[in-house]
Each structure stands twice: as C-alpha cells, then as structure tokens.
Amino acid sequence: TTVSSLPAGAIIASDKRNNSVFYAASGARFYLSTDTGKTFSAVSTLGSSSAPVKIAVNPTATGDVWVSTDKGLFHSTDSGLTFTTISGIGAAWAVALGAPKSSGGYPAVFAAANISGIGYFRSDDQGATWVQINDAAHGFASASANVIAADPKTYGRRVHFLVDDYT
C-alpha cells in the first residue's frame, strides 16, 4: 500500500524495540511514523544529503538510529528528531550494527564508507574511531555497490552481499 505521507523511493526501517515506530529517509529529510507505518512526518534533516542509502536501528535501544548517505554517516538517539554527523566520513554506502565487543556494550557499527579512503570499517565506540577491516587481499569488490549485514550474536562477524545490476 502506498503511504501518501512518504516520498516514493524512500528507504524504510522499523524500530526493533517498539513495533509501532518506523523510520524513513528521502533526500535530506528524515521521517518518523508512530502508527506502524501508516503515516510519516518529516522530523529532521540529514545535512545536505541527497541520497540516503540505509537505515540501521539498534536492536537494544528504542530510537537509536544510524543512516548512511552520500554526505556521510548520521546517528540519532531520539528517534531521528536530531542527528549527529559522524566526523571524518565523506560518504557512507552501507551501515549495519552487530554484536558488541563486550557483553552488554554498544553494538559494533560497520560501514562501507570513505574514511580517509574507501573501504569497510568497524567502530566499537559509536563512531568515534574506525578500524578498516578490508585490505588488498580482502577487498570485497566495490564498497559503493555492496550491502553490509552484521552478526548480532558474534562480535566482529559481518556479511557482504555484492549487488550487481544486470539490466
């Protein structure tokens, strides 16, 4: 069913702790739904982004949202009402949250991004610092063409899916 309050082509994700809450992004706008996705309201912006790519939602905290965009990586802890721009990231094509480094800690954040060079990165401190997890022998193809999924139970394990357009 088309949602008239949301632009066509918007990316969408659900809150993992509150099944009434959904998030969406299109262009520079971020949208929030509190009625299980029936209606959305624009609540904030993602800097000067024109192409949000992926929304990742913390499975252990309501309202904790990450958005990868053509202008970087954005993080919100208040359901998208405000965002912090993660410094040092020129563009982020994918983001995923995985098992934390220590039991009960914040999830590891994975990104396919441009952080002083294009690659795949992991942060264990909510985006304050990043470790590159690929190298010349383990490149996983084009960072901008891949989707990242992270294992929620095993720290450090992530899965990459190559997306090719054969049309």
Side-chain angles (χ1 to χ4, degrees):
T1 302
T2 301
V3 177
S4 63
S5 55
L6 198 58
I11 59 170
I12 302 170
S14 65
D15 193 280
K16 307 309 179 212
R17 304 292 290 173
N18 183 339
N19 62 8
S20 295
V21 176
F22 282 75
Y23 308 103
S26 179
R29 302 209 73 155
F30 188 81
Y31 298 82
L32 175 65
S33 171
T34 56
D35 61 4
T36 63
K38 292 179 185 117
T39 61
F40 284 82
S41 297
V43 294
S44 63
T45 60
L46 301 165
S48 61
S49 169
S50 62
V53 183
K54 171 116 188 253
I55 299 171
V57 182
N58 185 340
T60 63
T62 297
D64 192 345
V65 182
W66 294 79
V67 184
S68 61
T69 78
D70 59 326
K71 300 297 183 184
L73 187 61
F74 296 84
H75 181 218
S76 175
T77 57
D78 61 6
S79 297
L81 298 177
T82 61
F83 278 92
T84 300
T85 304
I86 304 302
S87 65
I89 301 179
W93 300 281
V95 61
L97 301 178
K101 186 173 185 176
S102 58
S103 180
Y106 192 85
V109 181
F110 293 91
N114 185 349
I115 304 173
S116 299
I118 295 171
Y120 300 92
F121 300 87
R122 183 192 72 239
S123 175
D124 295 320
D125 55 12
Q126 297 183 52
T129 60
W130 296 89
V131 174
Q132 189 163 359
I133 57 175
N134 70 307
D135 57 29
H138 305 92
F140 305 111
S142 171
S144 64
N146 284 317
V147 176
I148 295 178
D151 189 323
K153 296 185 180 190
T154 303
Y155 169 73
R157 189 179 340 183
R158 75 264 173 223
V159 179
H160 303 271
F161 300 97
L162 180 61
V163 178
D164 285 325
D165 182 6
Y166 293 105
T167 59

